[in-house]
Structures are given as C-alpha cells and as structure tokens.
Amino acid sequence: SAVISQKPSRDICQRGTSLTIQCQVDSQVTMMFWYRQQPGQSLTLIATANQGSEATYESGFVIDKFPISRPNLTFSTLTVSNMSPEDSSIYLCSVETADRYGYTFGSGTRLTVV
Amino acid sequence: GNSVTQMEGPVTLSEEAFLTINCTYTATGYPSLFWYVQYPGEGLQLLLKATKADDKGSNKGFEATYRKETTSFHLEKGSVQVSDSAVYFCALSDNAGNMLTFGGGTRLMVKP
C-alpha cells in the first residue's frame, strides 16, 4: 500500500490565521481525498483533489475556506483559511490503494484554533 | 445516497470478552465494505475489508462478513485485549473510485 506522509502532525493557531497541511505520497495516485474529523465525531469528506483540475468540494465546504492544491500525482496541500475555533479538528488525507479496493490514510493533522 | 450506521459507544468490555460492533449500510449497487481503527492520538488504519457479498474480512483476530441480504458488516472478535481499545469505524465505498462514507464510530474500551 502507498505510504502517506502528512505534516504538520499538530499545530496550535491563532484565530484569523491560515494553516497549510501537506500530504506526500510515495507513489503516483490519481485522486487524493481530504477529510475532517471534528472532536468526538466521524470523518467527513471535504474534497477530492485530482491532478490538473480544480478540487471537487462536498456540500458545506467551499474553496475560499479550504483551498486545495494538487501540483502533481504525489503531492497535495489543504489550507484552512481565516481559522476560527470551530475549525479545530483532525484533518486527514487519503488515497486509494493500488488494487482500488481500499484507502490508505495519513496520520492526520491535529489542529487547535485559539 | 450512501450511509453507514453503527452502534453507538462507548462499548466497555473486560479482557478476553467477546466483541460485536454492529454496522449496517445503505447503498446502491455493490459497495465495498471496510472497518478502520483509530488508536488514541493516531490516524486511521485499515483493519479489514470485504469487496463482495459473503466475503469475510479478517485481521488481528477481528472478522466481519459482508451480508448483502441484511446489508450488514458486523465486526467481531472472540477475545479482546486491552490493546484493542480504540475507536472503530465502519465504512463503505461505492466502487466508482469515489470516497468513503463513514459510520459515526464506536469507541471500545477494554479493561484488564
């Protein structure tokens, strides 16, 4: 399975600032997925990032708040913009496995907004 | 749309007890089904999966059988250990190369 390196692993940020989370995969993948896990909650898909095109956002998530870059087939970034305490969550990236029957997750970024 | 429902936690068991975490799903077509585990302070790890009806996924003593007739994928383990304490997520993929739909997660606490 692909190995995903996600960073930072955690951060504490001031409200109104922005944080960019990086996700590096050790193999080329077509789609990368960004999830949010709010405290004590399940995972919710934010967007799907395809190389060479704009990310596709799920209902309730917008590009201005969560801009995503996908410059190549092994890398993506998610920015959490103009943060508020409600953005405090774990953010995870994910890719489909080579056999296309599973998904691998990064270790997550634990974000606290104060 | 797709949805996954799993039993609410926390589930508290003594070591060596039998574990069942119920999971049912709603989906069109023939989804793939997964159980993921999240240990304290860590990301998600794939525990097991099943890609077609009647398949049994198994790993680390855990197993789950894909039951299309009951749209279920219950997680079981015959004898839990303290180290199994974690949050378990049931999930499905619609096999269109699209994202996972997760259940709400079930926290398991195993006491010595």
Side-chain angles (χ1 to χ4, degrees), chain B:
Chain B
N2 298 334
S3 67
V4 177
T5 302
Q6 60 183 105
M7 62 189 291
E8 290 190 17
V11 174
T12 303
L13 296 173
S14 297
E15 207 165 22
E16 299 184 2
F18 184 86
L19 168 71
T20 299
I21 300 178
N22 289 337
C23 171
T24 57
Y25 67 90
T26 302
T28 55
Y30 302 92
S32 293
L33 302 173
F34 307 86
W35 277 100
Y36 282 86
V37 58
Q38 186 176 38
Y39 296 103
E42 299 185 13
L44 267 72
Q45 301 176 26
L46 177 64
L47 181 60
L48 54 83
K49 66 183 181 186
T51 57
K52 61 182 186 297
D54 300 325
D55 268 2
K56 178 184 285 188
S58 60
N59 186 25
K60 299 180 180 179
F62 291 89
E63 58 182 35
T65 301
Y66 189 144
R67 300 288 189 198
K68 189 166 177 61
E69 64 276 14
T70 54
T71 61
S72 65
F73 193 55
H74 305 321
L75 182 69
E76 297 181 335
K77 186 174 185 182
S79 176
V80 294
Q81 305 300 312
V82 173
S83 58
D84 293 326
S85 298
V87 180
Y88 292 82
F89 292 93
C90 185
L92 70 82
S93 167
D94 63 9
N95 289 335
N98 294 321
M99 75 293 185
L100 289 165
T101 299
F102 284 89
T106 303
R107 181 175 299 278
L108 170 66
M109 296 189 294
V110 180
K111 298 184 176 180

